Amino acid sequence: MDNRGDVCRRWMYSAGENSAVWQLMFTGNGRITGQKRNRKERRSLFFSIDELSGQVLFDDYLLLDQATQQPIGESWFTGMETVSEQFVFLHAWQQNSPEHIGLWAIDPDNGSVEWARRDVVCCGMLDEGLLVYIPSVFAGFPERSYLIIDPLTGIELRRPDNDTGAINALRSAMRPETFRQNIILPDTVVEGSAEYGLIREREPYVSAHCECIVSGPLVAAAFHEFDERSGLWRSLLRIWWDMDICYEDILAERSERPAVSSFLLRTGVLYYIRNETELIALDV
């Protein structure tokens, strides 16, 4: 690894053996909550980190039913839905369906369940609250009853008009999670694009599979190269400040798949996942 100039490592978190960092979300109060998946044991676990210091606030968190203390989603079928200023909201999946079900509001400081509703499906966050619906069946046809609930308590605030136009208007008012969480994700680099030109100015060879984030003088790119002899991938992260390379690291080597979507930029910090198991924060 080459680490020079103003780019320096802030902290590193290890998910542990056999666990892959799967999903990250950033709350408004300076916490990073992540999901890690242990494929060997088929367990979906969660962790929380202080964004500034890297202190682990909780780890290996398994979402449990508060009444029975049994794992939600058979320990595997759970994920993160969205975040607010205070909480991260977890979900399960409907049986034999790709649709989510349930909301659990988790305090990222200690993992406590502040409230839970197993009857709702989350559509997203509005300025006034969470838009959700309660699924039901009438005369053999699926129906949805929409609610707006308080993110702090899960209590119903109001019931919007249930017609398609009103619900679509509410959905269109939702801001993307990347915007809400102030995240910049990498774009795929296409030959002839502005990003391709920026990288070619700094790197003579641009692999066919490349992702890039550009933010002012910062250019960060991941190069994914396939070895036809071994049938495996190598993914490399490089960061430039202006025209000077200031950091590089191997995201994955001899991997069955390229390590795509393994880095992001948020408020002067670049986060990346190395070897699926390590989350690294860089001040850039």
Side-chain angles (χ1 to χ4, degrees), residues 45-271:
L45 303 170
F46 300 90
F47 60 90
S48 182
I49 300 172
D50 178 81
E51 189 175 345
L52 184 61
S53 68
Q55 177 187 357
V56 177
L57 303 171
F58 64 77
D59 203 356
D60 293 328
Y61 179 93
L62 181 64
L63 183 62
L64 300 175
D65 184 289
Q66 298 300 293
T68 66
Q69 292 300 297
Q70 293 300 307
I72 299 292
E74 302 174 8
S75 304
W76 181 247
F77 297 106
T78 54
M80 294 191 294
E81 192 75 70
T82 185
V83 294
S84 66
E85 290 295 309
Q86 297 88 0
F87 302 144
V88 59
F89 300 95
L90 307 187
H91 69 83
W93 266 275
Q94 297 181 36
Q95 190 171 13
N96 301 318
S97 170
E99 290 205 57
H100 299 171
I101 189 69
L103 273 182
W104 288 262
I106 307 299
D107 186 333
D109 283 346
N110 53 32
S112 62
V113 178
E114 297 300 310
W115 59 263
R117 292 196 60 160
R118 300 195 63 162
D119 61 327
V120 300
V121 177
C122 183
C123 301
M125 184 73 75
L126 297 164
D127 289 341
E128 60 178 307
L130 285 159
L131 177 65
V132 303
Y133 69 84
I134 299 175
S136 60
V137 177
F138 178 75
F141 295 97
E143 291 194 340
R144 296 179 176 185
S145 300
Y146 286 88
L147 318 171
I148 295 175
I149 62 175
D150 184 352
L152 290 175
T153 63
I155 295 173
E156 178 182 332
L157 297 176
R158 71 179 180 93
R159 296 202 173 208
D161 292 336
N162 218 40
D163 65 88
T164 302
I167 299 304
N168 286 343
L170 287 172
R171 287 180 180 273
S172 66
M174 294 175 184
R175 294 174 295 173
E177 287 297 323
T178 50
F179 182 86
R180 292 187 61 245
Q181 298 181 43
N182 200 17
I183 291 170
I184 300 175
L185 297 175
D187 292 317
T188 300
V189 176
V190 179
E191 187 172 357
S193 65
E195 292 83 2
Y196 184 89
L198 285 171
I199 296 175
R200 277 298 303 269
E201 291 175 355
R202 294 158 175 80
E203 184 79 13
Y205 171 71
V206 182
S207 61
H209 304 274
C210 179
E211 303 168 283
C212 181
I213 292 175
V214 179
S215 179
L218 176 77
V219 178
F223 303 91
H224 310 290
E225 298 178 348
F226 181 69
D227 185 344
E228 293 186 356
R229 290 175 298 179
S230 66
L232 300 174
W233 290 84
R234 182 177 190 265
S235 297
L236 175 68
L237 174 69
R238 283 202 174 112
I239 302 174
W240 293 266
W241 189 264
D242 286 328
M243 298 299 294
D244 298 324
I245 186 168
C246 54
Y247 190 92
E248 68 176 24
D249 199 358
I250 297 173
L251 298 173
E253 195 157 25
R254 298 187 63 78
S255 174
E256 294 181 355
R257 53 192 174 274
V260 296
S261 302
S262 291
F263 67 110
L264 61 87
L265 183 66
R266 183 178 187 273
T267 60
V269 183
L270 189 139
Y271 300 90

Side-chain angles (χ1 to χ4, degrees), residues 32-49:
I32 303 171
T33 304
Q35 180 191 23
K36 58 185 182 181
R37 292 167 70 84
N38 187 315
R39 299 185 186 96
K40 185 177 180 180
E41 299 179 5
R42 285 184 63 81
R43 300 183 75 191
S44 173
L45 303 170
F46 300 90
F47 60 90
S48 182
I49 300 172

